[in-house]
Amino acid sequence: MYIVAEIGVNHDGSLEKAIKLIDAAVECGCNAVKFQSFYANRLVSLNAPKVNYQLRSSSESESHYEMIKRLEFNDDKLEKALQHANHKKIDFITTPYDPLSAEEAYKIGVRMFKTASADLGDQFIHKCLNSFNTKKIILATGMSSINEVQDCLVNYSSINPTILHCVSAYPCPDSDINARCITTMKNSLPNNEIGFSDHSEGITSAIICASIGVRFFERHFTLCRSDQGPDHYASSDIKEMKSYVEELRRVENILGSESKKCRVSEIGMSKISKKGIVAKKDLKIGDYINYENIYAIRPAIDGISIDQLNQILGRKVIKSIIRGKFIKWENLS
């Protein structure tokens, strides 16, 4: 499982807080942290309204533009956060909201990018990212159809992006998760990894998605859900994220592989509980093994297992076997 801690703007514009969030994501066992790169004057107009979830935990007196301006995290801050993530050996991703922000992030060394759901149709950003020598591109697909996702992918010729099923509701109600559409996405986009940007409450949605093959997860992350800011309320704190990661790692272990065979934990039980083949009567040299002169009894430790019955039927006895004794390969031709 690859799990991204979506820090987003939960640093509240503070480099110190961003560093703490990176450290906490490492502590939780996440594979990557994700930030957002934007400038207010290139993202929103002065009179842009806040959306409902932003009103829940941000100041009513602060406009949308003022809020976005306060949450800018670019240039020196972004570079120092990237350096700290590299030092901590955790992958670093950012979501640029315009081509210039993407170019600035690329220039300082960012090589993993994600685009926002609202920007799925923004060809300017996608064509810019396609021109980079990137390690990974991730596309969020909230508020969109499979046709819109396919239209977006036309912009990419240098890399096959990871596509995240996403519902742009914070938090997302169970009735809108629509996890079954992941199968549709897998069938429609066979060359792309399909992941899940999880805005739901709890771990259940992630477990369901893992059970249908998802291995890439993203979840909003904060130090404290009661902090003042647009995304804190709909994010997981350290305790919840640690549990989320631990449970997904457990799910990964439980899912295992597609092969059906005796598992390591079963070997001891197999030796004791599986039956061995025993002589029903004294068998002399020259007799042939058949259903009438053998039977099965536990355990098969000292003889031939019942699983190998077909391999011994019709074989000639070359070393006599006393009634009730387990039959061994050395007794047979």
Side-chain angles (χ1 to χ4, degrees), residues 279-289 293 315-323 327 331-333:
K280 188 182 289 187
K281 62 180 183 179
D282 290 340
L283 297 176
K284 303 184 298 295
I285 295 173
D287 287 342
Y288 288 88
I289 301 296
N293 57 20
R315 290 204 182 206
K316 183 188 290 187
V317 176
I318 60 172
K319 185 177 179 181
S320 59
I321 308 166
I322 299 172
R323 186 182 69 173
I327 298 174
N331 300 123
L332 307 175
S333 62

Side-chain angles (χ1 to χ4, degrees), residues 30-303:
C30 297
N31 300 93
V33 290
K34 193 188 81 64
F35 286 76
Q36 296 177 6
S37 305
F38 55 79
Y39 290 91
N41 62 357
R42 299 204 297 248
L43 179 58
V44 296
S45 61
L46 290 173
N47 59 352
K50 290 180 180 177
V51 295
N52 288 337
Y53 82 90
Q54 293 172 334
L55 294 170
R56 185 185 293 116
S57 55
S58 63
S59 172
E60 292 183 9
S61 62
E62 183 181 52
S63 71
H64 191 171
Y65 182 90
E66 290 169 337
M67 178 187 73
I68 294 298
K69 183 68 178 175
R70 175 174 57 82
L71 297 173
E72 287 180 352
F73 197 82
N74 302 297
D75 301 328
D76 188 53
K77 288 181 181 178
L78 191 69
E79 185 171 13
K80 286 181 177 176
L82 169 64
Q83 290 170 349
H84 187 71
N86 289 340
H87 175 69
K88 289 291 185 175
K89 294 181 170 49
I90 188 169
D91 288 344
F92 188 95
I93 307 167
T94 194
T95 293
Y97 282 81
D98 62 85
L100 287 177
S101 294
E103 289 168 1
E104 289 173 4
Y106 187 75
K107 190 177 295 184
I108 65 171
V110 177
R111 292 297 179 267
M112 299 177 72
F113 293 88
K114 180 197 165 193
T115 59
S117 290
D119 291 333
L120 190 69
D122 188 339
Q123 294 185 39
F124 297 107
I125 293 176
H126 297 296
K127 289 184 183 299
C128 176
L129 293 178
N130 184 60
S131 70
F132 296 161
N133 181 21
T134 54
K135 180 180 176 182
K136 197 173 193 68
I137 300 291
I138 306 147
L139 310 180
T141 63
M143 307 174 289
S144 65
S145 67
I146 193 69
N147 289 336
E148 289 171 306
V149 176
Q150 291 169 326
D151 288 343
C152 176
L153 288 174
V154 173
N155 294 293
Y156 291 94
S157 58
S158 62
I159 192 170
N160 284 328
T162 292
I163 311 298
L164 301 188
H165 171 49
C166 173
V167 181
S168 299
Y170 308 88
C172 181
D174 290 352
S175 57
D176 282 341
I177 294 295
N178 198 31
R180 281 198 176 106
C181 82
I182 288 173
T183 302
T184 300
M185 295 172 75
K186 282 175 170 286
N187 293 335
S188 301
L189 307 167
N191 296 321
N192 300 88
E193 177 185 25
I194 307 300
F196 180 46
S197 183
D198 188 359
H199 300 152
S200 69
E201 295 184 286
I203 185 68
T204 305
S205 295
I207 291 174
I208 291 170
C209 290
S211 72
I212 54 178
V214 172
R215 296 294 177 270
F216 188 106
F217 293 86
E218 176 193 62
R219 191 168 179 88
H220 282 266
F221 183 50
T222 183
L223 296 176
C224 180
R225 294 186 67 198
S226 61
D227 280 356
Q228 187 81 359
D231 292 350
H232 292 291
Y233 176 82
S235 301
S236 291
D237 59 19
I238 295 173
K239 181 180 179 181
E240 186 175 80
M241 181 63 89
K242 188 175 288 187
S243 175
Y244 186 86
V245 172
E246 287 174 353
E247 285 301 304
L248 275 179
R249 303 287 184 220
R250 185 179 178 216
V251 168
E252 183 176 32
N253 206 25
I254 290 170
L255 286 171
S257 70
E258 294 182 359
S259 66
K260 173 62 178 169
K261 61 183 181 180
C262 181
R263 309 304 297 180
V264 172
S265 60
E266 298 178 296
I267 293 173
M269 176 64 76
S270 175
K271 289 180 178 179
I272 294 172
S273 63
K274 285 199 172 184
K275 295 175 180 177
I277 301 170
V278 175
K280 188 182 289 187
K281 62 180 183 179
D282 290 340
L283 297 176
K284 303 184 298 295
I285 295 173
D287 287 342
Y288 288 88
I289 301 296
N290 56 54
Y291 285 110
E292 284 68 40
N293 57 20
I294 58 173
Y295 66 101
I297 193 171
R298 292 180 181 177
I301 295 174
D302 294 326

Side-chain angles (χ1 to χ4, degrees), residues 2-36:
Y2 190 92
I3 303 169
V4 180
E6 161 69 289
I7 291 171
V9 295
N10 284 339
H11 48 68
D12 299 320
S14 164
L15 175 61
E16 181 182 359
K17 195 168 189 177
I19 296 299
K20 289 180 179 178
L21 280 159
I22 292 170
D23 290 344
V26 172
E27 178 189 339
C28 290
C30 297
N31 300 93
V33 290
K34 193 188 81 64
F35 286 76
Q36 296 177 6

